[in-house]
Amino acid sequence: MYSMVVNDMSAEIAALVHPMPERTDENDEGYPDMAEAVWREREDLAEQLRLSWQEGGIDPLLSTLAHLHEERLQLEAAMRLLMAYGRCFTHPRPYKLIDLARAAGLSISGVRIAFTDDEITQATEILKRPPVSDDGPAPAAPATAE
């Protein structure tokens, strides 16, 4: 009985993480292939969750949440690198703050503070070239004595 509950939970978690696409006029022709791909992703995830639970005692819900949290942190780091790239490594001029803000779902001030010198240094190392613009993050305000 307990195993059946976990199996159902694994399938339900997989369905929540990989919802079926809605059929529209635009995707009607390719819908069967899209639905099949999502179905395979669901089945693969559900099976991984079942095995992790059965062989390692790893809770499927908690492990999925932890995995998604780690994925989110990686995506946020990639976004910071790309914003640093857009502001400091593109020429003939940097991308406008408003354009980056719209694309990233941030405010202009959010883009200004989204990346630091660390991301600029990391981008420099990855690209193996220096920034072309000195439009990096605003320097931190000096501490005031109280």
Side-chain angles (χ1 to χ4, degrees):
M1 175 68 176
Y2 185 69
S3 176
M4 192 167 126
V5 170
V6 172
N7 287 343
D8 290 344
M9 180 186 231
S10 295
E12 289 174 346
I13 291 168
L16 292 169
V17 172
H18 299 290
M20 280 293 168
E22 289 193 31
R23 187 175 221 135
T24 65
D25 290 339
E26 290 84 31
N27 72 9
D28 191 51
E29 193 174 300
Y31 183 81
D33 292 335
M34 289 182 352
E36 177 64 28
V38 171
W39 186 255
R40 279 194 304 271
E41 289 174 340
R42 279 186 179 188
E43 288 296 308
D44 291 347
L45 178 57
E47 185 60 25
Q48 289 171 10
L49 294 172
R50 286 183 196 109
L51 285 174
S52 293
W53 181 261
Q54 291 166 354
E55 295 175 5
I58 299 170
D59 183 282
L61 178 61
L62 299 179
S63 66
T64 301
L65 286 170
H67 173 76
L68 291 173
H69 172 71
E70 185 59 35
E71 246 181 58
R72 184 182 73 198
L73 293 176
Q74 290 173 2
L75 289 170
E76 289 171 352
M79 288 178 68
R80 288 191 303 273
L81 270 176
L82 289 172
M83 286 183 272
Y85 174 78
R87 290 301 289 168
C88 302
F89 291 86
T90 57
H91 51 74
R93 62 186 157 279
Y95 275 75
K96 294 178 182 176
L97 287 169
I98 187 68
D99 294 334
L100 294 172
R102 284 185 186 133
L106 296 172
S107 65
I108 290 173
S109 60
V111 171
R112 271 196 195 109
I113 64 169
F115 64 94
T116 66
D117 288 336
D118 290 343
E119 281 81 22
I120 296 170
T121 299
Q122 188 177 359
T124 298
E125 291 168 0
I126 292 169
L127 299 173
K128 298 182 180 3
R129 68 179 176 91
V132 295
S133 166
D134 190 23
D135 206 17
T144 56
E146 293 185 26

